[in-house]
Amino acid sequence: MTWGDTRPAGRQTSQGSLAQDVSRRFFEELELMEKVACVHCGQDWVRCYKRKDSGQIFFMCPECESLWPKEEDLRDETDMYLSEFLLTGDSVKDWEAIVPCDEPVALGDGD
């Protein structure tokens, strides 16, 4: 019997098994996701965003707009900002050119 399951192990219905499987997968995925504070400003969590035009995924602090390409370690300082990444020249257009995404935040290998 797994946590949260109040029925005896031999009496599971197919719906119960499915619910357990979905619940287990949810918590497994939740463990992979971490909240990472911005190393640049420390004022917000780094979040995942996607460019509307290309679909390119990146990570950014919404407070200071520091930006990390998807493959970069979020624990490392960055010199890139949203305006430099998008090259629109207009901070309002910058925010209109991106959307939040559901990519889990990954710290990298720390090398």
Side-chain angles (χ1 to χ4, degrees):
M1 182 164 47
T2 60
W3 74 272
D5 185 10
T6 58
R7 292 171 297 179
R11 297 192 165 245
Q12 294 180 353
T13 64
S14 61
Q15 286 180 339
S17 297
L18 178 61
Q20 275 185 318
D21 189 43
V22 169
S23 178
R24 186 182 73 248
R25 279 186 278 148
F26 170 78
F27 284 105
E28 287 171 355
E29 288 179 21
L30 188 62
E31 288 175 3
L32 295 175
M33 299 171 75
E34 286 191 49
K35 285 189 172 185
V36 178
C38 176
V39 296
H40 187 79
C41 74
Q43 298 298 309
D44 208 339
W45 303 114
V46 174
R47 299 176 189 171
C48 180
Y49 293 90
K50 182 172 24 175
R51 290 181 68 140
K52 288 181 182 177
D53 60 354
S54 67
Q56 183 179 12
I57 293 173
F58 60 95
F59 295 98
M60 182 183 73
C61 170
E63 180 67 27
C64 68
E65 298 184 353
S66 292
L67 186 140
W68 292 260
K70 183 178 177 184
E71 44 298 320
E72 295 294 320
D73 190 332
L74 302 178
R75 295 172 292 199
D76 294 339
E77 271 289 341
T78 182
D79 292 328
M80 188 179 300
Y81 293 92
L82 182 62
S83 59
E84 298 166 332
F85 181 67
L86 296 176
L87 300 173
T88 64
D90 183 343
S91 62
V92 174
K93 287 182 182 176
D94 288 346
W95 281 93
E96 293 173 356
I98 63 175
V99 293
C101 68
D102 295 327
E103 190 80 11
V105 175
L107 292 174
D109 58 14
D111 292 337

